[in-house]
Amino acid sequence: MAPIRVGIVGLSSKAGAWATTSHLPRLVSSPNYQIVALCNSSLESTRAAIKAHGLPESTRAYDSYDKLAADPDVDLYVVSTRADTHYEVAMPALKAGRNVYVEWPLGATTEEAREMADLARQKNLKTIVGLQGRVAPSVLKVKELIDSGRLGDIHSVNFQGAINVWQNNAAGNRYHYFMDRKVGGNLLTIYGGHILDSILLAVGELKPGSYTPLAANLRRKMHRTKEDGSLTEELYDKNTPDQILLQGKLDRNPPAVISFHLRAGDRFINTSGSIWRIYGTKGELAVEFASAGPQIAAATSIRFSNSETNQVEDITIDEGGKEWTGLPTPAQNIGRLYEAYATGKPYADFDLALKRHELLDEFWATLE
């Protein structure tokens, strides 16, 4: 099979930038992919990125989304930019009939996501949305244990996570934009969307009409952290949530309940970023992650309290060896997402993304 030829919007020359650490490592090492073009805000910056990452001299440089979308050698058009630009970056490629990968969230609003999903469906395009938790070995292991009956009938699912974005009661320097809903990227859309999608993949979808979502903005004005670590004197408005909760039932037979809580702010010192517990008639599974959710890194532990043997069992996960663990942490599951697309394995597309956007709208409706 010939490699899938990729054109990327948003791969900068900066060493620590998101696309550099998450998309590039697997794309340049996979036999299934070849980067053939880049597009940034200027030709100068695009050429700088090609040089900085040691890409072939034949890699084409663009400063226009339309020109990249028109390139006949691009099989997959990748959008790795901030959420509020996803629509304007992706639409030229969709209109041109290109297969497209867009980071999660798909759009800054559900309306944008719906328009992109509708157009892709009309043109019969292959699409990917960056919900990489769906290919994370830890999440798939949890799903396997549930589906195999190892836990018996599932009765309850509990998830609690904390993300360090409002440390010291201030908006961190990297997350100022989380304060403004118009940007489209915040605690609810990015982290809430990623985590809920991973959970629902493993345990099943929510039962319609049986759950209650809640989003609360308890820090309406906040100081910002400057680049030197000091705090601004002035306070800035925030119209996004810092507490996200859901309770209800899962669409399972026999019935099961779910309780979900994600918050911003300092974590409890020296503890996991998130804890996921699944209780069944044969025992309880406890899964812990260093981060707030399961989409970035492998679980730090998966333990099964076996009620039949009265023993706690450590569950091992096959991460695929050095081919994967040798990649930067953010690149591992995103790399697996690329390989799922290349090999025909399950992954999230724009239609699934739209479904998740619509769920998040139910949280937004509760925010005062």
Side-chain angles (χ1 to χ4, degrees):
M1 183 182 73
I4 297 168
R5 299 168 297 181
V6 178
I8 307 176
V9 181
L11 178 63
S12 77
S13 59
K14 296 179 181 178
W18 174 250
T20 303
T21 58
S22 60
H23 289 259
L24 185 65
R26 183 62 186 178
L27 286 176
V28 296
S29 63
S30 172
N32 293 324
Y33 287 93
Q34 177 187 4
I35 299 173
V36 298
L38 299 184
C39 178
N40 287 323
S41 58
S42 69
L43 284 176
E44 182 182 12
S45 63
T46 306
R47 289 168 180 151
I50 292 171
K51 181 178 180 180
H53 302 306
L55 298 176
E57 292 184 3
S58 59
T59 306
R60 291 180 289 284
Y62 294 106
D63 60 356
S64 159
Y65 311 140
D66 289 300
K67 290 178 181 177
L68 176 62
D71 189 326
D73 292 332
V74 172
D75 301 316
L76 180 64
Y77 180 107
V78 174
V79 180
S80 183
T81 58
R82 210 171 71 168
D84 52 342
T85 67
H86 287 179
Y87 176 86
E88 66 173 300
V89 178
M91 284 300 285
L94 295 170
K95 291 176 180 178
R98 299 279 170 237
N99 297 330
V100 180
Y101 176 130
V102 178
E103 294 273 16
W104 172 260
L106 179 55
T109 65
T110 300
E111 290 70 24
E112 289 183 353
R114 181 174 291 107
E115 187 175 343
M116 286 189 276
D118 287 349
L119 181 56
R121 200 180 312 111
Q122 291 165 15
K123 288 183 170 287
N124 197 30
L125 302 177
K126 292 181 179 179
T127 59
I128 315 170
V129 70
L131 288 168
Q132 66 267 20
R134 292 191 151 244
V135 294
S138 299
V139 176
L140 294 177
K141 187 65 176 181
V142 171
K143 178 174 172 56
E144 174 194 320
L145 292 168
I146 293 171
D147 292 348
S148 70
R150 181 83 175 274
L151 279 67
D153 292 338
I154 303 303
H155 280 188
S156 64
V157 176
N158 295 271
F159 184 94
Q160 186 169 15
I163 174 175
N164 286 328
V165 291
W166 309 141
Q167 292 174 286
N168 301 316
N169 292 306
N173 182 54
R174 289 182 57 195
Y175 296 102
H176 290 174
Y177 69 92
F178 270 32
M179 301 173 72
D180 185 359
R181 180 177 175 177
K182 291 196 301 292
V183 174
N186 50 68
L187 182 72
L188 173 60
T189 58
I190 294 180
Y191 284 88
H194 271 297
I195 299 168
L196 284 167
D197 182 66
S198 298
I199 293 172
L200 298 179
L201 170 74
V203 305
E205 294 291 324
L206 296 166
K207 184 176 181 179
S210 74
Y211 59 89
T212 302
L214 174 66
N217 178 16
L218 304 182
R219 291 181 168 105
R220 295 176 179 272
K221 290 184 178 289
M222 298 184 69
H223 294 285
R224 290 181 178 178
T225 305
K226 300 177 184 177
E227 290 188 9
D228 63 4
S230 63
L231 299 183
T232 59
E233 293 183 6
E234 63 270 43
L235 290 167
Y236 293 86
D237 290 332
K238 179 169 73 68
N239 60 5
T240 58
D242 38 53
Q243 300 281 341
I244 301 164
L245 301 96
L246 179 143
Q247 283 196 315
K249 294 181 180 179
L250 295 165
D251 197 8
R252 299 182 61 88
N253 186 20
V257 297
I258 183 170
S259 178
F260 173 87
H261 182 197
L262 175 66
R263 67 165 177 83
D266 300 272
R267 290 185 188 138
F268 194 99
I269 298 168
N270 295 327
T271 62
S272 300
S274 53
I275 301 174
W276 183 9
R277 289 182 177 270
I278 304 164
Y279 171 71
T281 54
K282 294 182 180 180
E284 184 172 16
L285 195 67
V287 190
E288 298 192 15
F289 296 89
S291 64
Q295 72 276 8
I296 295 294
T300 54
S301 69
I302 300 183
R303 296 175 297 152
F304 178 50
S305 177
N306 190 326
S307 58
E308 296 179 329
T309 64
N310 201 33
Q311 298 290 321
V312 175
E313 305 168 10
D314 289 319
I315 305 295
T316 58
I317 308 167
D318 182 6
E319 292 285 331
K322 281 290 185 72
E323 176 185 4
W324 294 102
T325 59
L327 296 173
T329 299
Q332 294 174 20
N333 288 335
I334 288 181
R336 292 183 177 103
L337 183 52
Y338 276 113
E339 295 304 331
Y341 174 81
T343 59
K345 294 179 180 178
Y347 59 89
D349 62 10
F350 284 11
D351 287 332
L352 188 279
L354 177 58
K355 182 177 181 178
R356 295 296 180 242
H357 271 278
E358 291 171 342
L359 172 60
L360 296 186
D361 280 348
E362 297 181 44
F363 287 89
W364 284 118
T366 70
L367 188 68
E368 296 181 355

